[in-house]
Amino acid sequence: MAAEIISGTEMARTIREELRIGVEEFKRSVGRPPGLATVLVGSDPASQAYVRMKKRAAVDLGMYSRQIELDREITEDELLGWIEGLNADPDIHGILVQLPLPPQIRKNRILEAIHPAKDVDGFHPINVGRMAVGDPAALAPCTPLGVVEMLVRSGIQTRGRHAVVVGRSDIVGKPMGSMLLGTGPGGDATVTVTHILTQDLASHTRMADILIVAAGHPSLITADMVKPGVVVIDVGVNRVADSSREKGYRLTGDVAFDEVREVASVITPVPGGVGPMTIAMLMSNTLKAARSLNRAMA
Ligand code: GUN
């Protein structure tokens, strides 16, 4: 029997409705909305599209949104100046610098300059550390947070089960492993993190009760690489050429969806899976940051 499909689009809608109430309450008690600043350097079309979606989601929830668009030739010091301004701005509770950044800018210098309390991407070393030790005050990265939320809301048990992560990026793979290993709902798993240098990848993926794929390779995971009944979460977003589409491409995940669906028990689609959940978690982090900054001021 074909796997059940978890709709991230629908789940994210439910989460946004929950957040809308929280945003209203915040506005009533504080007198101003939670504010999110997005910083985009250069004009990469995919990054532009992501930033646009994030801004739209914030505005839709009644948040304040500020979009800063900077020339791709900007210097590191100039960009740091923008970050300092946003750190000091009381209308801004969340700062997101869209990655990747151009080569003249050292990514880590920028991510470390964002005030940890406004770091809604969860990329600052302070938040990475807090998350690793299970501190609930941590602002955690939105994509793995969205995956955990999907598992928990779908009633998928992680406790004691074998979760295999494919990909070791700082944005998804590493924090994903850390969250699954942590204690509590969506955690307590036995975790294997694999990556591009892993030998015989299929021998690992076949062991998975829960398989989370964030490798950036279309159709990397095929039906012969998974065991029957596996839960498959596809984090990949790949643009593949498709002349039948108006844009000349279509989005596809890292999992060969049609064939793996025949073996798995649960699977997430691309698009409409983890993507919308990531944005919902960014909104959740922005509200969390706003509440926490407001408490600190009181
Ligand atoms: N680029 C790709 N994914 C992300 C993300 O989650 N946050 C930011 N800031 N940039 C990204």
Side-chain angles (χ1 to χ4, degrees), residues 50 54 96-100 121 123 143 171 278:
Y50 287 133
K54 291 166 183 177
L96 178 147
V97 177
Q98 186 66 28
L99 303 176
D121 256 330
F123 295 161
T143 302
I171 294 181
T278 297

